[in-house]
């Protein structure tokens, strides 16, 4: 894929705009159902309405890190290696970190009225916090200097290592005795413990946050592609300024020259 | 703070975070587009 094609984003302008509208509509519907139509929980009262955000945010984080892992595998696999997969992985990880941060904050806001505490050193909470910091580390790793290829490879390997924590987070409530409740929908018995309007609202939340993830991924990917193009242009300009025009009077450098020089020139 | 306060904080905070993130991406994208040699419209 060329720089110009990458700049168009993953979805293209039309589909991206449509996704944006669909996302906004789904989020508005979620607000209406979550705050007005769904009844308060019999035991938790209105505090349970936070679950319509907390659970979808956790799902979106899982999805984001899953896509990061898939894109990283495709980048590491020689036959499918492309900078596109590296950019998809980076964009998806950043969106995943935002959703993980939301998951932690929303869980804390729910825990205070229901558990009476903001935080507990509970397996689910701790493994989720570890997940948050693992992917923050991944994003930091991506900012280290080096060639696009070396950055892509080390980031992809780090992404595969970080993803190990995702199933640990999900199954932590089954593996250890925790304060956090077990999965309501995807429990080991696959017997959802939520019904009617409350179940519908939860699924609506999952849909709305999935669309939000797709929209954010597309926008963030486009920004990464634009930044990548700018870096390439700046590097070529720097090489031209240092080397001067070629023997035929041309000012261009080959892609090989540029790629080879990146390691030395990039700060 | 009663339950309603926590609910408002959670929903309002989520809306604020997502809106801030979308705006941040949009601003940085606009800035990156302006630096393109061809001025880039989205394509």
């Amino acid at each position: 894929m060329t720089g110009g094609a990458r700049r168009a984003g993953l979805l293209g302008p039309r589909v991206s705009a449509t996704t944006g509208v669909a996302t906004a509509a789904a989020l508005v519907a979620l607000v209406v159902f979550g705050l007005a139509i769904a009844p308060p929980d019999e035991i938790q009262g209105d505090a349970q309405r936070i679950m319509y955000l907390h659970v979808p945010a956790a799902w979106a984080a899982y999805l984001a890190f899953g896509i990061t892992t898939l894109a990283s595998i495709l980048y590491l696999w020689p036959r499918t290696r492309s900078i596109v997969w590296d950019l998809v992985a980076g964009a998806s990880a950043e969106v995943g970190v935002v959703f993980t941060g939301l998951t932690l904050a929303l869980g804390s806001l729910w825990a205070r009225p229901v558990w009476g505490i903001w935080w507990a050193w509970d397996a689910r909470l701790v493994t989720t916090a570890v997940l948050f910091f693992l992917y923050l580390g991944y994003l930091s790793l991506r900012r280290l200097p080096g060639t696009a290829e070396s950055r892509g490879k080390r980031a992809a390997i780090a992404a595969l290592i970080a993803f190990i924590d995702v199933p640990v987070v999900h199954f932590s409530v089954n593996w250890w005795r925790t304060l956090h409740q077990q999965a309501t929908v995807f429990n080991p018995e696959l017997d959802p413990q939520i019904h009617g309007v409350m179940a519908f609202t939860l699924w609506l939340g999952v849909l709305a946050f999935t669309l939000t993830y797709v929209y954010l991924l597309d926008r963030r990917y486009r920004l990464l592609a634009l930044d990548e193009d700018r870096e390439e242009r700046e590097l070529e300009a720097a090489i031209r300024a240092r080397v001067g025009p070629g023997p035929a009077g041309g000012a261009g450098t080959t892609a090989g020259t540029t790629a080879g020089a990146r390691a030395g020139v990039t700060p | 703070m009663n339950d309603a306060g926590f609910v408002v904080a959670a929903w309002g905070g989520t809306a604020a975070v997502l809106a801030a993130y979308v705006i941040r991406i949009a601003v940085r994208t606009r800035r990156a587009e302006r630096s393109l040699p061809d001025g880039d419209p989205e394509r």
Side-chain angles (χ1 to χ4, degrees), chain A residues 122-154:
Chain A
D122 167 274
R124 169 60 70 83
L125 276 64
V126 171
T127 51
T128 306
V130 167
L131 189 70
F132 180 70
F133 288 111
L134 276 172
Y135 279 93
L136 272 185
Y138 167 85
L139 293 176
S140 302
L141 195 64
R142 293 187 62 87
R143 298 171 75 96
L144 291 179
T147 63
E149 190 174 352
S150 68
R151 180 199 65 197
K153 276 185 183 172
R154 72 185 171 218

Side-chain angles (χ1 to χ4, degrees), chain A residues 4 7-8 30-31 35 44 46 49-50 53 94-95 106 109 112-113 118 216 219-220 222-223 226-227 233, chain B residues 3 6-7 9-11 13-14 17-18 21-22 24-25 28-29 32-33 35-38 40-43:
Chain A
R7 271 187 241 151
L30 178 63
V31 169
L35 294 179
Q44 298 177 25
D46 281 325
R49 296 183 192 280
I50 297 172
L53 298 176
E94 187 183 287
V95 177
L106 290 165
L109 281 166
R112 184 67 185 87
W118 294 100
L216 289 174
R219 297 292 81 192
R220 192 63 187 87
R222 181 160 190 268
L223 177 55
L226 285 164
D227 286 342
R233 281 198 315 277
Chain B
D3 283 7
F6 286 101
V7 173
W11 284 73
T14 301
V17 167
L18 291 179
Y21 189 49
V22 169
R24 181 172 175 269
I25 292 174
R28 288 181 60 193
T29 301
E33 283 169 355
S35 74
L36 286 173
D38 54 4
D40 170 69
E42 186 165 343
R43 63 190 178 181

